[in-house]
Amino acid sequence: MAVQGDRRTAILRCSADLFARQGVASTTVRQIADEVGVLSGSLYHHFPSKDAIVNEVVTAYLDLLLSRYREVMAVDRTPRERLEQLIAASLRVAESEPSATVVYQNEMSYIRELPQYEAVKAAAAEVQQTWLSVIEDGRADGSFRDDIDPRVFYRFVRDAVWLSVRWYRPEGPYTVERLAADCASIFLDGYAAFDPE
Amino acid sequence: MAVQGDRRTAILRCSADLFARQGVASTTVRQIADEVGVLSGSLYHHFPSKDAIVNEVVTAYLDLLLSRYREVMAVDRTPRERLEQLIAASLRVAESEPSATVVYQNEMSYIRELPQYEAVKAAAAEVQQTWLSVIEDGRADGSFRDDIDPRVFYRFVRDAVWLSVRWYRPEGPYTVERLAADCASIFLDGYAAFDPE
DNA sequence: GTCTATACGCCGATAGAC
DNA sequence: GTCTATCGGCGTATAGAC
């Protein structure tokens, strides 16, 4: 069982890497098997289909992300602090699971056709609701602007945060914590120079 | 010739729509032919390969985008005004060519393997250079902040702008000009409420 | 749990009639 | 310029030996 668990994990990890690099549709079960070090037929002992592998990659990713979001929301903070924390939590998840993050960002049209899409949809809805509730709270207490639709602001932040997996490399001196701080500062304070007053 | 030109255009338009909806790898030449209203063999009278269709969709898109950017840069304006104009020009191109925009945003790993990738690469470099020069000018004249890497700011703006094709629908009362204004205002002034002073 | 061997369909692309 | 017909290859998935 430990062996099977390790093999399953290896299959999921190799698949996520290939899916992220080449796209799901362009990745073959033979490539996955090569990377794992078995023949393609052996994959079907662990998963019933290629789609099942995709589904598990995405589901595990969303479970991790949601658990981090729930931790952020469990603490009493201002909307601004919570927004900063959501950005930082997202970037940390993207750093620890870059391939799964890329798959989820790039392959939504593929994911939507999976047989178990409803579970993914529910998790995605909770993710969105978390962000929107924080933004609405900030509008309500006057710390955020009320002249721009919260959904528009949410989508800009979301896309900027998640697409950072396409260019951010955690190896350099620019840490993920600094990236999160810069992101929050740009979106909240703007890139225009502060008024020298 | 007019007929062939029309047919070529129809093939490009249908291909871009399918590529955007399903991904390039998952779109077959038979699907493209069905959508156009011919049989798949007939496509090869107009294009030597499926990859050639992808290449022309992307190249035409980048040509259009660059021509709009050059118009913006031809006028003497402040960095802030130019940044607003680049955002607006980008969103207008995304509105007029949504499928090609999606293809270019989603399929970079496919595009990078095309035989004629060098031309695409050159155009992409000019796009990036246009944004960066405007941002650098704003830092130089003190209108933009100098405590955050211009490349980081560029990538956040770029991703927020281009990913709007995934959710923005021009049919509603929220016009693309208003979207551009909101985008520029968030990125330059921030979403935090203005100091009531 | 992995391998060998293979079924079966769809893929991009081509040749040649019309 | 489009059609008919088809080729060779590679895709996912399966059956059964070990």
Side-chain angles (χ1 to χ4, degrees):
Chain A
M1 182 144 94
V3 171
Q4 175 172 347
D6 287 349
R7 192 63 101 185
R8 266 184 70 90
T9 307
I11 293 170
L12 288 169
R13 186 169 32 77
C14 293
S15 298
D17 290 349
L18 288 164
F19 292 160
R21 203 155 57 238
Q22 314 176 340
V24 173
S26 308
T27 300
T28 71
V29 293
R30 290 189 236 270
Q31 281 181 297
I32 296 170
D34 278 357
E35 202 80 6
V36 173
V38 295
L39 289 184
S40 65
S42 306
L43 295 179
Y44 290 86
H45 176 75
H46 303 277
F47 296 92
S49 69
K50 174 182 163 182
D51 283 357
I53 300 177
V54 178
N55 190 77
E56 190 153 330
V57 166
V58 171
T59 305
Y61 164 75
L62 282 172
D63 284 350
L64 171 65
L65 182 65
L66 270 181
S67 73
R68 300 295 168 80
Y69 280 12
R70 292 195 189 110
E71 288 171 20
V72 170
M73 300 303 284
V75 181
D76 192 41
R77 294 187 191 281
T78 68
R80 182 182 177 113
E81 287 166 342
R82 277 189 165 160
L83 196 76
E84 291 167 345
Q85 291 295 312
L86 285 180
I87 290 171
S90 302
L91 292 175
R92 282 194 293 264
V93 169
E95 184 190 23
S96 73
E97 299 292 340
S99 295
T101 302
V102 168
V103 173
Y104 183 64
Q105 296 309 313
N106 287 353
E107 306 280 350
M108 196 46 75
S109 67
Y110 193 102
I111 294 167
R112 205 172 287 119
E113 304 303 320
L114 293 176
Q116 294 141 309
Y117 171 58
E118 288 305 316
V120 173
K121 194 174 170 183
E126 185 175 342
V127 168
Q128 170 168 330
Q129 187 48 42
T130 303
W131 285 93
L132 284 178
S133 71
V134 169
I135 297 169
E136 295 283 6
D137 287 350
R139 276 165 65 102
D141 77 1
S143 56
F144 294 162
R145 294 167 62 171
D146 63 358
D147 59 338
I148 292 179
D149 190 323
R151 290 167 301 176
V152 170
F153 176 69
Y154 159 63
R155 285 156 175 157
F156 282 148
V157 175
R158 174 198 64 187
D159 292 339
V161 165
W162 290 124
L163 268 288
S164 70
V165 289
R166 288 193 186 171
W167 56 266
Y168 175 69
R169 294 291 165 264
E171 299 88 33
Y174 192 57
T175 65
V176 71
E177 302 302 331
R178 178 68 200 279
L179 174 64
D182 286 351
C183 180
S185 180
I186 288 172
F187 275 102
L188 289 169
D189 305 321
Y191 198 65
F194 303 120
D195 203 309
E197 194 158 351
Chain B
M1 179 144 98
V3 172
Q4 177 173 345
D6 287 348
R7 190 64 99 186
R8 266 184 70 91
T9 307
I11 292 169
L12 289 169
R13 186 168 33 76
C14 292
S15 298
D17 290 349
L18 287 165
F19 292 159
R21 203 155 57 236
Q22 314 177 341
V24 172
S26 309
T27 301
T28 71
V29 293
R30 287 174 173 85
Q31 280 181 298
I32 296 171
D34 278 357
E35 201 81 4
V36 173
V38 296
L39 288 184
S40 65
S42 306
L43 296 178
Y44 290 85
H45 177 74
H46 303 277
F47 295 92
S49 69
K50 174 182 163 182
D51 282 356
I53 301 178
V54 178
N55 191 77
E56 189 153 332
V57 166
V58 170
T59 306
Y61 164 75
L62 282 171
D63 285 349
L64 172 65
L65 183 65
L66 271 180
S67 74
R68 299 294 169 81
Y69 280 12
R70 293 195 188 107
E71 288 171 20
V72 169
M73 300 303 284
V75 181
D76 190 41
R77 297 187 189 278
T78 67
R80 181 181 178 114
E81 288 165 342
R82 277 189 165 160
L83 197 75
E84 290 166 346
Q85 292 293 312
L86 286 181
I87 290 171
S90 302
L91 293 175
R92 282 193 293 265
V93 169
E95 183 190 24
S96 74
E97 300 291 340
S99 294
T101 302
V102 168
V103 173
Y104 183 65
Q105 296 309 313
N106 288 351
E107 306 281 348
M108 196 46 76
S109 67
Y110 192 103
I111 293 166
R112 205 172 288 119
E113 304 304 319
L114 292 176
Q116 294 140 310
Y117 172 59
E118 288 305 315
V120 172
K121 194 174 169 181
E126 185 175 341
V127 167
Q128 170 169 328
Q129 188 47 44
T130 304
W131 285 92
L132 284 178
S133 71
V134 169
I135 296 169
E136 295 283 5
D137 287 350
R139 276 165 64 103
D141 78 0
S143 55
F144 295 162
R145 294 166 63 170
D146 63 358
D147 59 338
I148 293 179
D149 191 322
R151 291 168 300 175
V152 171
F153 176 69
Y154 159 64
R155 286 158 175 156
F156 283 148
V157 175
R158 174 197 64 186
D159 293 339
V161 165
W162 290 125
L163 267 289
S164 70
V165 288
R166 288 191 184 171
W167 55 266
Y168 174 69
R169 294 291 166 263
E171 300 86 33
Y174 193 56
T175 66
V176 71
E177 300 303 330
R178 177 67 199 279
L179 174 65
D182 286 352
C183 180
S185 180
I186 288 172
F187 275 101
L188 288 169
D189 305 321
Y191 197 64
F194 301 119
D195 204 310
E197 192 158 352

mmCIF file of all heavy atoms in Angstrom, chain A residues 7 39 45-46, chain C residues 1-4:
data_model
loop_
_atom_site.group_PDB
_atom_site.id
_atom_site.type_symbol
_atom_site.label_atom_id
_atom_site.label_comp_id
_atom_site.label_asym_id
_atom_site.label_seq_id
_atom_site.Cartn_x
_atom_site.Cartn_y
_atom_site.Cartn_z
ATOM 1 N N ARG A 7 3.627 5.359 -5.757
ATOM 2 C CA ARG A 7 3.490 5.328 -7.215
ATOM 3 C C ARG A 7 2.407 6.285 -7.673
ATOM 4 O O ARG A 7 2.591 7.039 -8.629
ATOM 5 C CB ARG A 7 3.166 3.889 -7.652
ATOM 6 C CG ARG A 7 3.280 3.695 -9.143
ATOM 7 C CD ARG A 7 4.689 3.919 -9.644
ATOM 8 N NE ARG A 7 5.405 2.675 -9.872
ATOM 9 C CZ ARG A 7 6.678 2.604 -10.222
ATOM 10 N NH1 ARG A 7 7.396 3.710 -10.360
ATOM 11 N NH2 ARG A 7 7.257 1.447 -10.403
ATOM 12 N N LEU A 39 5.512 1.375 -17.982
ATOM 13 C CA LEU A 39 4.875 1.371 -19.297
ATOM 14 C C LEU A 39 3.429 1.865 -19.161
ATOM 15 O O LEU A 39 2.836 1.767 -18.090
ATOM 16 C CB LEU A 39 4.932 -0.016 -19.924
ATOM 17 C CG LEU A 39 6.344 -0.415 -20.362
ATOM 18 C CD1 LEU A 39 6.344 -1.765 -21.066
ATOM 19 C CD2 LEU A 39 6.946 0.636 -21.282
ATOM 20 N N HIS A 45 -3.572 0.658 -13.689
ATOM 21 C CA HIS A 45 -3.775 -0.018 -12.405
ATOM 22 C C HIS A 45 -4.082 0.995 -11.306
ATOM 23 O O HIS A 45 -4.776 0.691 -10.336
ATOM 24 C CB HIS A 45 -2.534 -0.834 -12.032
ATOM 25 C CG HIS A 45 -2.634 -1.478 -10.684
ATOM 26 N ND1 HIS A 45 -3.415 -2.583 -10.444
ATOM 27 C CD2 HIS A 45 -2.084 -1.150 -9.499
ATOM 28 C CE1 HIS A 45 -3.326 -2.920 -9.167
ATOM 29 N NE2 HIS A 45 -2.517 -2.066 -8.570
ATOM 30 N N HIS A 46 -3.576 2.229 -11.481
ATOM 31 C CA HIS A 46 -3.725 3.256 -10.441
ATOM 32 C C HIS A 46 -4.853 4.236 -10.732
ATOM 33 O O HIS A 46 -5.448 4.787 -9.814
ATOM 34 C CB HIS A 46 -2.405 4.016 -10.290
ATOM 35 C CG HIS A 46 -1.233 3.142 -9.974
ATOM 36 N ND1 HIS A 46 -0.929 2.714 -8.701
ATOM 37 C CD2 HIS A 46 -0.300 2.572 -10.780
ATOM 38 C CE1 HIS A 46 0.147 1.945 -8.725
ATOM 39 N NE2 HIS A 46 0.548 1.841 -9.970
ATOM 40 P P DG C 1 -0.453 -2.828 -5.486
ATOM 41 O OP1 DG C 1 -0.088 -1.762 -4.625
ATOM 42 O OP2 DG C 1 -1.767 -3.126 -5.968
ATOM 43 O "O5'" DG C 1 0.534 -2.869 -6.743
ATOM 44 C "C5'" DG C 1 1.908 -2.945 -6.451
ATOM 45 C "C4'" DG C 1 2.602 -3.194 -7.744
ATOM 46 O "O4'" DG C 1 2.154 -4.444 -8.323
ATOM 47 C "C3'" DG C 1 2.351 -2.116 -8.798
ATOM 48 O "O3'" DG C 1 3.628 -1.789 -9.306
ATOM 49 C "C2'" DG C 1 1.485 -2.804 -9.854
ATOM 50 C "C1'" DG C 1 1.893 -4.256 -9.700
ATOM 51 N N9 DG C 1 0.873 -5.243 -10.081
ATOM 52 C C8 DG C 1 -0.468 -5.215 -9.838
ATOM 53 N N7 DG C 1 -1.101 -6.271 -10.307
ATOM 54 C C5 DG C 1 -0.094 -7.038 -10.900
ATOM 55 C C6 DG C 1 -0.156 -8.277 -11.586
ATOM 56 O O6 DG C 1 -1.155 -8.983 -11.798
ATOM 57 N N1 DG C 1 1.093 -8.689 -12.020
ATOM 58 C C2 DG C 1 2.253 -7.987 -11.817
ATOM 59 N N2 DG C 1 3.385 -8.535 -12.304
ATOM 60 N N3 DG C 1 2.333 -6.837 -11.193
ATOM 61 C C4 DG C 1 1.115 -6.409 -10.763
ATOM 62 P P DT C 2 3.934 -0.616 -10.259
ATOM 63 O OP1 DT C 2 5.081 0.104 -9.685
ATOM 64 O OP2 DT C 2 2.666 0.084 -10.530
ATOM 65 O "O5'" DT C 2 4.439 -1.297 -11.604
ATOM 66 C "C5'" DT C 2 5.520 -2.228 -11.543
ATOM 67 C "C4'" DT C 2 5.479 -3.123 -12.761
ATOM 68 O "O4'" DT C 2 4.325 -3.981 -12.714
ATOM 69 C "C3'" DT C 2 5.369 -2.373 -14.102
ATOM 70 O "O3'" DT C 2 6.634 -2.438 -14.747
ATOM 71 C "C2'" DT C 2 4.289 -3.139 -14.876
ATOM 72 C "C1'" DT C 2 4.053 -4.380 -14.041
ATOM 73 N N1 DT C 2 2.666 -4.897 -14.105
ATOM 74 C C2 DT C 2 2.422 -6.107 -14.694
ATOM 75 O O2 DT C 2 3.304 -6.801 -15.173
ATOM 76 N N3 DT C 2 1.097 -6.503 -14.700
ATOM 77 C C4 DT C 2 0.019 -5.798 -14.193
ATOM 78 O O4 DT C 2 -1.113 -6.246 -14.264
ATOM 79 C C5 DT C 2 0.334 -4.528 -13.601
ATOM 80 C C7 DT C 2 -0.754 -3.675 -13.032
ATOM 81 C C6 DT C 2 1.635 -4.139 -13.581
ATOM 82 P P DC C 3 6.802 -1.930 -16.281
ATOM 83 O OP1 DC C 3 8.216 -1.563 -16.434
ATOM 84 O OP2 DC C 3 5.749 -0.941 -16.578
ATOM 85 O "O5'" DC C 3 6.504 -3.246 -17.129
ATOM 86 C "C5'" DC C 3 7.290 -4.408 -16.912
ATOM 87 C "C4'" DC C 3 6.786 -5.551 -17.784
ATOM 88 O "O4'" DC C 3 5.446 -5.886 -17.360
ATOM 89 C "C3'" DC C 3 6.702 -5.177 -19.266
ATOM 90 O "O3'" DC C 3 7.596 -5.984 -20.025
ATOM 91 C "C2'" DC C 3 5.265 -5.446 -19.659
ATOM 92 C "C1'" DC C 3 4.663 -6.166 -18.494
ATOM 93 N N1 DC C 3 3.278 -5.670 -18.214
ATOM 94 C C2 DC C 3 2.181 -6.499 -18.445
ATOM 95 O O2 DC C 3 2.370 -7.634 -18.895
ATOM 96 N N3 DC C 3 0.927 -6.032 -18.204
ATOM 97 C C4 DC C 3 0.764 -4.800 -17.727
ATOM 98 N N4 DC C 3 -0.475 -4.398 -17.481
ATOM 99 C C5 DC C 3 1.872 -3.943 -17.470
ATOM 100 C C6 DC C 3 3.101 -4.404 -17.739
ATOM 101 P P DT C 4 7.807 -5.613 -21.597
ATOM 102 O OP1 DT C 4 9.158 -6.069 -21.962
ATOM 103 O OP2 DT C 4 7.395 -4.218 -21.823
ATOM 104 O "O5'" DT C 4 6.724 -6.538 -22.305
ATOM 105 C "C5'" DT C 4 6.724 -7.952 -22.102
ATOM 106 C "C4'" DT C 4 5.632 -8.573 -22.962
ATOM 107 O "O4'" DT C 4 4.330 -8.226 -22.423
ATOM 108 C "C3'" DT C 4 5.631 -8.130 -24.424
ATOM 109 O "O3'" DT C 4 5.453 -9.268 -25.251
ATOM 110 C "C2'" DT C 4 4.449 -7.161 -24.500
ATOM 111 C "C1'" DT C 4 3.507 -7.709 -23.445
ATOM 112 N N1 DT C 4 2.610 -6.700 -22.808
ATOM 113 C C2 DT C 4 1.259 -6.950 -22.727
ATOM 114 O O2 DT C 4 0.742 -7.950 -23.165
ATOM 115 N N3 DT C 4 0.534 -5.971 -22.105
ATOM 116 C C4 DT C 4 1.005 -4.787 -21.558
ATOM 117 O O4 DT C 4 0.256 -3.981 -21.033
ATOM 118 C C5 DT C 4 2.432 -4.593 -21.684
ATOM 119 C C7 DT C 4 3.047 -3.348 -21.133
ATOM 120 C C6 DT C 4 3.165 -5.542 -22.290
#
